[in-house]
């Protein structure tokens, strides 16, 4: 019975409980909040689950992930049940998942090879209107480290997108349009300064580009076409393609213009210890023809 204790003891325990709850609250509030976005449709829900599993399994205790799922509820039947089970497995204190229904946004954009959901990343500046920065990632990616270091990369000069290099020869699709670029980035992983993008109306410019240009690589073409002068190159150590061999990454590096190449030593360190691995194009571990040994990372988290 609480009433049998002297008043001084009651005050002591009341204050003790107050400070315990205050400590718990402050501990949670001081966690490093990292906003992550990804797009899904019916064909890639399982890949999304594997990606989220890898994110939460490698998250530091000091980080709190806010995961934004972009989808169309007219073509995707209740993805929440399956995805939310991942969060239940790791605990709600590790992350929060927010679902954004984009409906028929981008309807009419070319989608011969890619789903309409691929365009959803373009809407992030307006969709996340109260957020300054987000890390967008395709779901054919697996995470191997906490994202704090990568998320805290400083944007230099007038850059508002940070992304990894793709094959330079692909820039021909832009030079054929009369757009001269000295690099070409892959849009699978994008660190986006949403605050600056909103200020410069970048989303509106990309949407206009989609309407007025032929898009050989769809949203990636539009992002490179509009943003090429304001893209900062993301070091290979943070994300690179999940090649079957180190030599293929060396070849990708050597194709770049001199100012964007790194030493083979840096490349080897990046290859051996990346933050994110991108199973791009046909390098998909779940495809029956895939034979790359680096697929073991994906299957590890699929098993979890």
């Amino acid at each position: 019975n609480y009433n049998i204790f002297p008043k001084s003891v009651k005050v002591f325990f009341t204050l003790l409980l107050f400070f315990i709850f205050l400590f718990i609250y402050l501990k949670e509030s001081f966690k490093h909040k990292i906003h992550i976005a990804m797009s899904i449709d019916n064909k890639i829900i399982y890949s999304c689950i594997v990606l989220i599993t890898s994110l939460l399994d490698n998250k530091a205790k000091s980080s709190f992930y806010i995961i934004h799922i972009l989808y169309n509820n007219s073509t995707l039947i209740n993805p929440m049940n399956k995805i939310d089970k991942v969060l239940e497995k790791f605990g709600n204190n590790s992350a929060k998942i927010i679902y954004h229904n984009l409906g028929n946004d981008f309807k009419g954009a070319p989608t011969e090879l890619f789903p309409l959901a691929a365009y959803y990343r373009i809407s992030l500046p307006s969709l996340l209107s109260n957020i300054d920065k987000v890390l967008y990632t395709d779901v054919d990616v697996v995470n191997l480290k906490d994202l704090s270091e990568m998320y805290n990369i400083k944007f230099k000069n007038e850059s508002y997108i940070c992304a990894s290099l793709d094959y330079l020869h692909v820039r021909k699709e832009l030079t054929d349009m009369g757009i001269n670029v000295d690099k070409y980035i892959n849009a699978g992983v994008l660190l986006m300064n949403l605050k600056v993008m909103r200020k410069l109306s970048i989303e509106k410019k990309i949407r206009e580009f989609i309407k007025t240009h032929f898009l050989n690589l769809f949203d990636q073409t539009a992002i490179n076409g509009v943003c090429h002068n304001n893209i900062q190159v993301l070091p290979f150590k943070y994300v690179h393609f999940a090649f079957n061999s180190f030599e293929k990454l060396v070849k990708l590096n050597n194709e770049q213009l001199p100012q964007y190449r790194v030493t083979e030593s840096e490349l080897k360190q990046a290859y051996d210890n990346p933050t994110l691995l991108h199973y791009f194009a046909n390098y998909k571990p779940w495809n029956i023809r895939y034979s790359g040994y680096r697929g073991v990372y994906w299957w590890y988290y699929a098993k979890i």
Side-chain angles (χ1 to χ4, degrees):
N1 188 338
Y2 186 68
N3 291 324
I4 68 173
F5 293 104
K7 185 177 180 181
S8 59
V9 175
K10 292 178 183 179
V11 171
F12 171 77
F13 279 107
T14 300
L15 288 173
L16 180 62
L17 286 171
F18 170 77
F19 283 112
I20 288 173
F21 284 116
L22 181 63
F23 173 77
I24 294 171
Y25 171 77
L26 290 175
K27 184 180 178 182
E28 292 301 311
S29 64
F30 281 121
K31 281 188 175 182
H32 184 209
K33 292 181 174 63
I34 296 175
H35 289 272
I36 306 164
M38 55 194 74
S39 304
I40 61 171
D41 63 12
N42 275 319
K43 295 180 180 179
I44 55 178
I45 291 179
Y46 192 73
S47 299
C48 175
I49 290 171
V50 173
L51 170 57
I52 293 175
T53 300
S54 70
L55 285 167
L56 299 184
D57 194 57
N58 289 290
K59 185 189 71 65
K61 290 183 179 180
S62 58
S63 297
F64 185 83
Y65 291 171
I66 303 171
I67 302 171
H68 301 269
I69 306 288
L70 318 183
Y71 77 106
N72 178 355
N73 71 344
S74 64
T75 59
L76 190 63
I77 302 172
N78 197 11
M80 294 78 163
N81 291 341
K82 295 179 180 179
I83 295 173
D84 286 347
K85 286 182 181 179
V86 181
L87 188 55
E88 291 174 13
K89 184 180 183 73
F90 287 91
N92 292 330
N93 62 340
S94 61
K96 177 182 180 181
I97 297 178
I98 303 173
Y99 296 90
H100 303 270
N101 173 28
L102 275 77
N104 290 319
D105 197 8
F106 294 100
K107 185 178 181 180
T111 56
E112 287 84 354
L113 298 175
F114 295 89
L116 193 66
Y119 289 93
Y120 290 169
R121 75 197 80 190
I122 294 168
S123 68
L124 286 169
S126 61
L127 187 67
L128 307 182
S129 58
N130 61 336
I131 295 169
D132 290 345
K133 184 196 291 188
V134 70
L135 176 65
Y136 176 88
T137 174
D138 283 347
V139 297
D140 56 351
V141 169
V142 70
N143 172 246
L144 303 174
K145 289 183 184 179
D146 179 75
L147 292 173
S148 297
E149 181 182 318
M150 180 178 177
Y151 194 75
N152 284 327
I153 290 173
K154 301 297 182 184
F155 289 93
K156 299 175 183 177
N157 301 323
E158 298 178 350
S159 299
Y160 48 74
I161 286 179
C162 197
S164 58
L165 292 167
D166 207 325
Y167 290 99
L168 187 62
H169 67 262
V170 186
R171 68 175 173 166
K172 186 177 185 301
E173 63 170 331
L174 296 178
T175 57
D176 287 346
M177 299 175 189
I179 302 172
N180 294 316
V181 298
D182 63 351
K183 61 184 177 298
Y184 187 92
I185 58 95
N186 185 277
V189 176
L190 302 171
L191 185 61
M192 306 169 72
N193 188 330
L194 301 179
K195 184 177 181 179
V196 173
M197 293 178 77
R198 284 191 291 270
K199 182 179 179 181
L200 299 176
S201 301
I202 300 304
E203 179 182 341
K204 181 180 178 182
K205 293 175 183 177
I206 295 176
R207 287 176 181 269
E208 287 299 318
F209 191 96
I210 291 170
K211 293 177 183 177
T212 55
H213 293 79
F214 173 77
L215 307 177
N216 186 39
L217 287 175
F218 310 103
D219 61 299
Q220 183 168 285
T221 300
I223 291 170
N224 274 280
V226 172
C227 308
H228 59 275
N229 287 329
N230 306 92
I231 294 176
Q232 183 174 315
V233 174
L234 191 64
F236 285 116
K237 72 174 184 175
Y238 292 116
V239 59
H240 59 255
F241 298 144
F243 291 118
N244 294 340
S245 69
F246 173 63
E247 287 69 31
K248 290 184 178 180
L249 187 59
V250 171
K251 183 178 180 182
L252 171 63
N253 180 58
N254 290 342
E255 185 182 297
Q256 308 304 322
L257 296 180
Q259 62 266 36
Y260 297 116
R261 293 178 201 154
V262 299
T263 66
E264 191 163 322
S265 174
E266 290 177 89
L267 212 59
K268 189 68 170 69
Q269 290 178 351
Y271 185 80
D272 291 339
N273 196 24
T275 299
L276 298 168
L277 269 181
H278 186 186
Y279 297 97
F280 79 118
N282 294 321
Y283 288 84
K284 304 284 192 284
W286 54 91
N287 285 350
I288 194 169
R289 294 182 180 178
Y290 181 83
S291 60
Y293 76 93
R294 304 193 101 193
V296 297
Y297 296 109
W298 192 90
W299 284 110
Y300 172 80
Y301 293 108
K303 184 177 180 180
I304 291 177

